[in-house]
């Protein structure tokens, strides 16, 4: 478990959509609200929840098909040296001002903490706690943004020297990667980089006595914050992250043949040329890997069944050899017998191509079968996240308990529990815990204080004031 390689680190992700203006205030649909999650290479993460809870929006936001409203989505499939994004230069150029802002937020944190501790128990104290947590989140995200690039150098007094060396480090690394991409070596840039890194290490020695040195250094890495990328920068990463759509009928262009559909992305990313003989050979190989006969290559989507169309959609995604695929209810529109074939195909492709999946579904049985870990989503929040076996055996959140209790069964002795009521409006969600309006365990604390998403057992995270099954 310790050797797992991190692919995504999602922190406080938000996706809001503006819907209307009431007076001077704009109202938003809070489709995803404060989601934090780590995804490791080779895992299948299952995501379940009722319709309208924000599952599909989360998948598309993760791929930046929707521009993320807030939070960090750090991708480790490439390095920032390789992509060389503009936001990195903005962060470094604003080094001094960001340090000042961090100090301002630290002072505000102390003020909010004192205000919270001074209040008696009740509604006002709950609101003060929520404000303190909001300030803490702003401070943490900005601190991590800067520490990811500078590490412990955020504590160095010579800000202009730090800024200058960090800019040179980024520029030289980007130059070296660009040369390697063309099959060349830039020995002068490599020599200059060694000199810059030696100077940075010397500056780090100056601040080694700082009590937060190790903490700041632990955040230093070469990951890419997808939320900060511009359109063209993100476009170059599209082949690393693909999507299998829910509807196998509307997701395929009816005017294109199977061969054209599968090859479109390969040509767009300059992997093959349009009329290259090797392109057709590769497309045929991908088709066969996905259970499609080679003679289908010149046929059109309307000539196929739903299951075959979904295989075409899968082939289109895996053809680019991505690291990560979002399966957005990829089997929900298919017959049960065809569902099992598609699920087994996805499992085979995962092992063969070393893929990582985010598998979104309503079907808890399908999720249990295919997933290594499962996240349960309610009204834009992931309320529970755990290993698949652990979650199904010992659900800790009342909503997870209700979902599992509603699964149809042939066991006549088991009483199916129906979760009453509908999901509240995502425009005006309930205060405190969003599930309290439907929860049989709800108390006054649930109505005022937002529960913290915390680890209650190794690898088992939950956001609830009244956790279940912790003694099992």
């Amino acid at each position: 478990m310790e050797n797992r390689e991190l692919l995504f680190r999602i922190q406080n992700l938000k996706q809001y959509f503006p819907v209307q203006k009431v007076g001077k205030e704009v109202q938003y649909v809070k489709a995803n609200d404060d989601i934090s999650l780590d995804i490791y290479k080779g895992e299948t993460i299952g995501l379940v929840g009722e319709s309208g809870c924000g599952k599909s929006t989360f998948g598309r936001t993760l791929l930046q098909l929707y521009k993320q409203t807030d939070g960090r989505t750090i991708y480790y499939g490439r390095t920032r040296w390789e992509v060389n994004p503009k936001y990195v230069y903005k962060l470094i150029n604003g080094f001094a001002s960001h340090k000042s802002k961090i100090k301002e937020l630290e002072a505000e944190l102390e003020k909010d903490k004192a205000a919270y501790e001074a209040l008696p128990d009740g509604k006002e104290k709950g609101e003060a706690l929520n404000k303190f947590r909001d300030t803490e989140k702003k401070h943490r995200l900005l601190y991590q943004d800067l520490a990811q690039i500078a590490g412990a150098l955020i504590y160095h007094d010579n800000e202009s020297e730090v800024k200058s060396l960090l800019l040179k480090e980024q520029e030289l690394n980007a130059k070296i990667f660009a040369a390697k991409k063309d099959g060349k070596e830039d020995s002068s840039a490599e020599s200059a980089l060694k000199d810059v890194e030696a100077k940075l290490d010397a500056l780090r020695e100056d601040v080694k006595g700082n009590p937060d040195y190790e903490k700041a250094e632990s955040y230093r890495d070469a990951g890419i914050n997808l939320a900060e990328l511009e359109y063209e920068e993100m476009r170059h990463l599209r082949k690393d992250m693909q999507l299998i759509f829910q509807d196998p009928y509307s997701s395929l262009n009816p005017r294109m043949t199977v061969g054209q559909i599968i090859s479109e992305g390969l040509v767009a990313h300059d992997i093959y040329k349009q009329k290259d003989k090797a392109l057709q050979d590769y497309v045929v190989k991908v088709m066969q890997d996905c259970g499609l006969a080679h003679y289908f290559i010149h046929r059109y989507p309307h000539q196929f069944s739903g299951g075959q169309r979904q295989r075409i959609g899968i082939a289109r995604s895996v053809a680019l050899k991505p690291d990560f695929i979002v399966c957005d209810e990829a089997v929900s529109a298919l017959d049960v017998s065809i569902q099992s074939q598609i699920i087994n195909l996805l499992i085979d492709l995962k092992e063969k191509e070393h893929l990582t999946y985010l598998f979104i579904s309503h079907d808890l049985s399908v999720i249990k079968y295919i997933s290594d870990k499962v996240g349960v989503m309610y009204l834009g929040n992931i309320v529970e996240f755990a290993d698949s076996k652990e979650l199904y055996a010992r659900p800790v959140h009342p909503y997870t308990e209700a979902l599992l209790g509603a699964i149809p069964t042939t066991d006549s002795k088991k009483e199916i529990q129906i979760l009453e009521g509908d999901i509240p409006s995502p425009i005006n969600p309930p205060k405190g815990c969003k599930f309290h309006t439907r929860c049989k365990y709800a108390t006054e604390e649930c109505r005022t204080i937002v529960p913290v998403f915390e680890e209650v057992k190794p690898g088992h995270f939950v956001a609830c004031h009244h956790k279940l099954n912790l003694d099992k």
Side-chain angles (χ1 to χ4, degrees):
M1 295 292 284
E2 292 299 320
N3 295 326
R4 295 180 305 168
E5 193 174 344
L6 189 64
L7 186 62
F8 285 97
R9 171 151 286 162
I10 303 151
Q11 295 174 296
N12 305 102
L13 179 147
K14 288 186 179 182
Q15 183 58 61
Y16 291 0
F17 298 105
V19 286
Q20 62 183 347
K21 197 169 185 179
V22 179
K24 293 183 179 180
E25 186 179 346
V26 179
Q27 290 192 320
Y28 294 89
V29 171
K30 298 175 181 178
N32 295 143
D33 196 10
D34 212 37
I35 295 175
S36 296
L37 189 67
D38 285 349
I39 299 176
Y40 290 86
K41 283 188 178 181
E43 286 185 335
T44 297
I45 304 296
L47 195 59
V48 296
E50 295 167 279
S51 293
C53 70
K55 303 186 300 296
S56 295
T57 299
F58 174 65
R60 293 174 186 229
T61 302
L62 186 53
L63 302 180
Q64 303 303 311
L65 293 175
Y66 300 141
K67 189 63 179 174
Q68 192 169 319
T69 304
D70 194 18
R72 305 171 83 230
T73 299
I74 309 299
Y75 173 59
Y76 293 98
R78 305 275 190 103
T79 66
R80 72 168 188 269
W81 324 118
E82 191 175 353
V83 178
N84 200 27
K86 292 179 182 177
Y87 83 86
V88 172
Y89 293 96
K90 289 179 182 176
L91 266 173
I92 297 171
N93 282 319
F95 186 76
S97 61
H98 291 315
K99 278 186 65 176
S100 297
K101 182 64 177 176
I102 288 170
K103 288 179 180 177
E104 286 175 21
L105 288 169
E106 284 172 355
E108 191 176 337
L109 261 177
E110 290 297 320
K111 185 179 175 182
D112 289 348
K113 184 180 179 181
Y116 162 70
E117 291 176 345
L119 289 168
D121 291 343
K123 185 178 179 180
E124 285 187 19
K125 186 160 187 165
E127 290 173 352
L129 178 59
N130 293 337
K131 186 176 184 300
F132 170 74
R133 288 176 179 169
D134 187 53
T135 305
E136 185 277 329
K137 184 194 76 174
K138 290 177 184 176
H139 172 266
R140 174 167 39 83
L141 294 183
L142 181 57
Y143 180 91
Q144 290 179 6
D145 277 340
L146 207 56
Q148 187 182 15
I149 294 169
L153 293 178
I154 58 176
Y155 298 115
H156 205 286
D157 294 330
N158 194 341
E159 294 169 355
S160 60
E161 178 70 8
V162 170
K163 172 184 162 182
S164 175
L165 288 171
L166 289 175
L167 282 172
K168 285 179 184 176
E169 180 190 39
Q170 178 65 32
E171 289 165 357
L172 290 167
N173 269 306
K175 194 176 179 183
I176 291 166
F177 266 98
K180 285 181 179 177
K181 192 176 179 181
D182 295 332
K184 301 174 184 177
E185 286 189 11
D186 192 332
S187 55
S188 62
E190 289 175 2
S191 176
L193 179 61
K194 286 180 182 178
D195 182 53
V196 168
E197 286 177 340
K199 289 178 180 178
L200 286 169
D201 287 340
L203 291 178
R204 287 191 181 94
E205 285 295 324
D206 295 342
V207 293
K208 241 180 181 176
N210 191 293
D212 291 323
Y213 177 89
E214 294 296 337
K215 173 189 169 185
E217 281 294 292
S218 69
Y219 293 126
R220 184 161 63 95
D221 60 46
I224 305 162
N225 190 353
L226 300 182
E228 297 295 334
L229 295 185
E230 294 185 357
Y231 177 81
E232 281 301 319
E233 293 170 340
M234 187 63 216
R235 189 173 177 274
H236 291 297
L237 295 177
R238 289 276 175 231
K239 73 184 185 69
D240 291 4
M241 294 167 268
Q242 289 292 298
L243 174 64
I244 300 170
F245 295 90
Q246 177 178 357
D247 187 355
Y249 293 89
S250 64
S251 62
L252 303 179
N253 190 332
R255 297 188 179 188
M256 296 173 73
T257 64
V258 172
Q260 290 170 332
I261 288 168
I262 296 172
S263 65
E264 186 179 20
L266 296 165
V267 173
H269 287 281
D270 295 322
I271 298 170
Y272 289 98
K273 298 298 180 184
Q274 181 72 59
K275 296 182 180 179
D276 191 345
K277 175 65 170 65
L279 173 59
Q280 183 168 321
D281 293 341
Y282 179 70
V283 169
V284 168
K285 178 183 177 300
V286 172
M287 288 173 63
Q288 290 173 338
D289 288 344
C290 294
L292 296 164
H294 66 89
Y295 53 82
F296 289 167
I297 193 167
H298 298 302
R299 293 187 183 180
Y300 289 86
H302 72 271
Q303 296 174 280
F304 297 93
S305 67
Q308 288 174 320
R309 289 185 190 209
Q310 198 61 292
R311 288 176 186 271
I312 296 167
I314 293 169
R316 174 176 58 188
S317 295
V318 300
L320 289 161
K321 294 192 175 297
D323 292 324
F324 180 68
I325 298 179
V326 174
C327 305
D328 186 9
E329 307 214 32
V331 297
S332 64
L334 307 175
D335 293 337
V336 174
S337 59
I338 305 300
Q339 280 187 15
S340 62
Q341 293 176 23
I342 297 299
I343 290 166
N344 288 330
L345 170 64
L346 289 170
I347 292 172
D348 291 343
L349 288 170
K350 175 189 170 183
E351 293 174 356
K352 184 178 179 182
E353 302 293 340
H354 308 291
L355 296 169
T356 305
Y357 292 141
L358 175 66
F359 193 90
I360 299 167
S361 179
H362 287 102
D363 193 327
L364 288 157
S365 300
V366 169
I367 288 286
K368 185 178 182 180
Y369 179 71
I370 197 172
S371 303
D372 300 306
K373 294 179 180 177
V374 179
V376 179
M377 184 172 277
Y378 185 81
L379 199 57
N381 294 95
I382 291 181
V383 295
E384 187 164 3
F385 181 76
D387 178 81
S388 180
K389 291 180 181 178
E390 166 73 12
L391 185 131
Y392 279 78
R394 288 171 291 277
V396 176
H397 198 282
Y399 180 60
T400 310
E401 179 190 57
L403 286 182
L404 296 177
I407 298 175
T409 177
T410 55
D411 185 359
S412 58
K413 295 179 181 179
K414 181 182 176 183
E415 183 181 347
I416 295 178
Q417 300 175 26
I418 304 298
L419 182 61
E420 297 181 355
D422 296 321
I423 293 181
S425 167
I427 299 175
N428 294 303
K431 291 184 178 180
C433 175
K434 294 178 181 178
F435 185 60
H436 82 257
T437 56
R438 303 169 70 190
C439 181
K440 60 184 178 182
Y441 306 105
T443 61
E444 186 59 35
E445 182 184 23
C446 304
R447 297 181 182 93
T448 55
I449 300 174
V450 178
V452 176
F453 189 65
E454 58 186 344
E455 190 171 19
V456 292
K457 295 179 183 177
H460 196 147
F461 297 82
V462 68
C464 183
H465 295 302
H466 304 291
K467 302 170 183 67
L468 313 173
N469 297 319
L470 288 181
D471 54 340
K472 292 184 180 180

